[in-house]
Amino acid sequence: MNFTLPEAVLETLDKFDSKGFEIYIVGGAIRDLLMGKIVSDWDFTTNATPEQILKIIPDGFYDNIFGTVGITIEGFTKPFEITTYRTEYGYSDNRRPDKVSWGKILEEDLKRRDFTINAMAIDKNLKIIDLYDGQKDLKNKLIRAVGDPNERFREDSLRMMRAVRIAGELEFTIEEKTFEAIINNASLINKIAKERIKIELFKILKCNNPYKAILQFKESGLMEELLPELIKCFGVEQKSPSRHHIYDVGNHLLMALKECKSDDPVVRFATLIHDIGKPQTYKKLSTGVITFYNHEMVSTKIAINIADRLKFSAKERDKFVILVRFHQFTVDENQTDSAIRRFIKNTGIENIEDMLSLRVADRLGGGASETSWRLEEFKKRLTEVQKQPFSIKDLKINGTDIMKTLNIKPGPKVGEILEKLFNEVVEKKIENTKEILISNLKSCSINSPTKT
Ligand code: ATP
Ligand code: MG
């Protein structure tokens, strides 16, 4: 295997070696190096204790929780992280070791790592220490637990999410026994803090092929545990006379995700669950027609539950909920301008692009074509309507202009006039330009007392 190490990495190895300590590069860096990828995280392990590490790199900062010394290096986005060999014992809560102690030998440290491709080390002579056939698994594109997978997932059940996530990111397969162990232990994922689960789930959604990664998440049994509402969508038929659907609700949602053009995990997630309220609103009429009346409201409730459960940030939650709530927006050539304005107000200007992405994904994921002349027309009207002001603030004149032009003092009249001008602009009676608004002001219609 051919690779070179950056000068700063070699220097770090040398600093420890020259003081008589062992030091190795470990973790994802080796995996990335061997795959010819750019390494973003440089992690090291050493037999030096944190105090000894700090003596060798006095400008390092010590993280008490993980016993890691970090050091910022110019030209590298993430600090180098140097950790004393660790051994971990007893995982009675399925999420973290009861006890961590400094190990004496590298082998102990590699043994506690999650997957074979993450459990290799490289020394200063570029020799690869590979006790678990990580190179072979890397070549065969396999994610395999180090040691007994059942035991490893029982120790720390987040590893199950990591397996699905890393497989998705690298487009690898989870080795059979490892995958079986995830299925067997899936319910243990509930022991893990939701913040950590959310991070992994978002990374799964960010994969190049989120459809494949989410499918694996489903087949592993983890979706059943974490998104039970989504599992309920599978098998819910929506094919009916005169309706275009070709998939059941669950598969339609997966197909929509597959077609989603946005790479924002929030948009992808919203696309994946936009119809999640359908199972609860399913009705089959005597004509054979299936309806899901009001499903977007039920979907919205579930979206709120999911966002809160998984501890989304306020910003992520707002966007997620809006996308689900308004995904059923009407696209109709006979729509009034005010209906379109309402759509923009509900969705928020900043979310329009994503709302349209969801609609396109929804169409494609339901077997329809990417767009229609109605949708294209709707997009044009969205642009047109946005030229009109949305509030008095968007008018091209303000209160000061009014007071100056009409030579009046501050008071409620100024507001009334602004309101009147705004309504006339919205009704397209006058144009929203400064000259036209001022000349209208001077004319009697706008200047006359308003009726209440
Ligand atoms: P990425 O940085 O892309 O997430 P990574 O493999 O570098 O991938 P990190 O979370 O940075 O993952 O962890 C660094 C290394 O620590 C891993 O390669 C693995 O050896 C080990 N590791 C991380 N989390 C666990 C875990 N839950 N159980 C066992 N080993 C772990
Ligand atoms: Mg890493």
Side-chain angles (χ1 to χ4, degrees):
M1 208 67 75
N2 245 342
F3 55 85
T4 50
L5 298 177
E7 204 51 45
V9 172
L10 288 169
E11 269 170 27
T12 305
L13 294 172
D14 219 47
K15 270 185 198 163
F16 285 77
D17 183 63
S18 63
K19 292 275 185 313
F21 291 106
E22 295 172 16
I23 184 160
Y24 299 88
I25 305 165
V26 278
I30 300 175
R31 185 188 72 206
D32 294 343
L33 268 178
L34 297 181
M35 290 177 78
K37 290 190 173 180
I38 294 168
V39 177
S40 57
D41 273 12
W42 289 98
D43 296 329
F44 302 82
T45 189
T46 173
N47 61 352
T49 60
E51 294 72 32
Q52 290 167 327
I53 300 175
L54 280 170
K55 272 197 190 130
I56 297 169
I57 41 169
D59 44 351
F61 43 92
Y62 181 52
D63 177 337
N64 241 327
I65 304 173
F66 297 105
T68 297
V69 176
I71 176 162
T72 316
I73 308 273
E74 219 187 289
F76 291 80
T77 41
K78 287 197 190 159
F80 287 6
E81 290 190 340
I82 305 163
T83 312
T84 309
Y85 295 155
R86 285 171 59 164
T87 46
E88 297 169 353
Y89 315 86
Y91 291 80
S92 43
D93 61 0
N94 310 107
R95 58 192 162 123
R96 55 185 167 215
D98 301 334
K99 192 172 158 220
V100 177
S101 64
W102 305 140
K104 296 264 180 303
I105 51 170
L106 173 72
E107 287 71 10
E108 285 175 315
D109 187 273
L110 296 182
K111 193 173 160 205
R112 68 162 179 99
R113 293 182 182 268
D114 49 7
F115 306 112
T116 59
I117 60 165
N118 284 346
M120 294 180 270
I122 290 179
D123 72 7
K124 67 174 181 69
N125 301 315
L126 307 192
K127 187 173 145 235
I128 302 171
I129 294 94
D130 180 9
L131 309 175
Y132 303 101
D133 276 342
Q135 289 173 93
K136 194 169 146 209
D137 286 338
L138 201 60
K139 213 168 129 226
N140 294 324
K141 301 188 173 215
L142 284 176
I143 306 292
R144 184 196 308 271
V146 170
D148 176 354
N150 281 296
E151 213 173 280
R152 304 313 308 281
F153 295 143
R154 266 182 246 133
E155 285 172 0
D156 173 0
S157 46
L158 187 73
R159 289 174 186 154
M160 301 189 285
M161 288 291 281
R162 285 178 56 88
V164 174
R165 186 261 290 181
I166 298 172
E169 283 177 344
L170 303 176
E171 305 203 35
F172 278 25
T173 309
I174 301 176
E175 173 275 329
E176 208 175 316
K177 287 218 160 60
T178 304
F179 197 62
E180 244 169 53
I182 301 182
I183 295 173
N184 291 339
N185 294 286
S187 67
L188 294 179
I189 198 64
N190 294 308
K191 304 257 182 176
I192 299 292
K194 293 293 186 284
E195 289 85 349
R196 297 175 76 197
I197 288 177
K198 182 226 152 187
I199 292 173
E200 293 296 331
L201 195 49
F202 272 40
K203 284 185 178 177
I204 290 174
L205 286 162
K206 272 198 264 183
C207 288
N208 276 338
N209 189 341
Y211 163 77
K212 214 170 142 195
I214 284 289
L215 197 60
Q216 183 122 77
F217 175 62
K218 173 176 181 274
E219 285 164 1
S220 69
L222 292 169
M223 184 191 277
E224 170 99 57
E225 298 297 328
L226 299 173
L227 298 174
E229 306 94 330
L230 184 53
I231 286 289
K232 291 201 182 88
C233 296
F234 290 88
V236 176
E237 275 308 317
Q238 47 182 353
K239 234 184 273 176
S240 68
S242 79
R243 300 298 291 270
H244 63 272
H245 283 292
I246 52 174
Y247 300 111
D248 65 15
V249 177
N251 281 297
H252 161 61
L253 291 171
L254 286 181
M255 295 310 283
L257 173 66
K258 189 176 189 176
E259 300 292 352
C260 183
K261 305 281 192 292
S262 166
D263 54 14
D264 178 343
V266 175
V267 181
R268 288 183 175 185
F269 206 158
T271 303
L272 176 65
I273 63 128
H274 71 273
D275 282 340
I276 202 162
K278 278 190 171 177
Q280 284 181 51
T281 52
Y282 175 96
K283 272 212 177 64
K284 192 166 194 171
L285 308 178
S286 54
T287 50
V289 173
I290 295 170
T291 66
F292 300 98
Y293 181 65
N294 223 10
H295 79 267
E296 66 277 19
M297 296 309 289
V298 180
S299 299
T300 305
K301 259 195 195 154
I302 299 174
I304 292 171
N305 281 339
I306 292 173
D308 289 344
R309 197 162 78 211
L310 293 181
K311 317 272 183 212
F312 281 33
S313 70
K315 206 171 147 208
E316 290 162 348
R317 180 188 194 269
D318 283 352
K319 182 172 197 161
F320 185 64
V321 172
I322 282 175
L323 290 175
V324 175
R325 169 68 184 84
F326 298 107
H327 82 268
Q328 282 287 94
F329 65 89
T330 313
V331 172
D332 180 342
E333 68 276 23
N334 297 319
Q335 249 165 316
T336 59
D337 274 4
S338 61
I340 295 192
R341 290 164 67 81
R342 209 172 318 119
F343 165 78
I344 297 174
K345 250 192 181 147
N346 286 336
T347 307
I349 291 185
E350 67 284 8
N351 295 320
I352 290 180
E353 209 47 50
D354 294 326
M355 191 81 249
L356 292 169
S357 290
L358 197 158
R359 169 57 57 91
V360 168
D362 191 6
R363 291 178 58 90
L364 289 169
S369 58
E370 183 165 340
T371 190
S372 63
W373 67 266
R374 280 200 177 91
L375 185 56
E376 290 307 303
E377 199 56 33
F378 182 76
K379 285 190 203 161
K380 275 189 213 145
R381 288 192 63 197
L382 280 176
T383 318
E384 272 311 302
V385 162
Q386 281 183 69
K387 289 180 188 160
Q388 301 293 102
F390 270 80
S391 71
I392 286 175
K393 273 196 252 116
D394 301 328
L395 278 182
K396 296 285 189 246
I397 62 167
N398 57 27
T400 316
D401 298 321
I402 291 175
M403 291 186 283
K404 261 199 209 151
T405 314
L406 300 178
N407 199 19
I408 57 170
K409 293 210 162 64
K413 183 146 170 75
V414 180
E416 277 170 28
I417 294 174
L418 277 172
E419 179 94 32
K420 207 164 175 187
L421 281 175
F422 173 71
N423 288 333
E424 299 213 348
V425 170
V426 169
E427 285 160 24
K428 290 189 180 161
K429 288 187 185 148
I430 52 175
E431 243 182 89
N432 186 21
T433 67
K434 193 157 184 167
E435 302 82 72
I436 292 185
L437 292 170
I438 300 251
S439 83
N440 259 270
L441 263 185
K442 288 176 180 161
S443 79
C444 55
S445 71
I446 208 80
N447 200 3
S448 61
T450 41
K451 275 193 220 135
T452 50

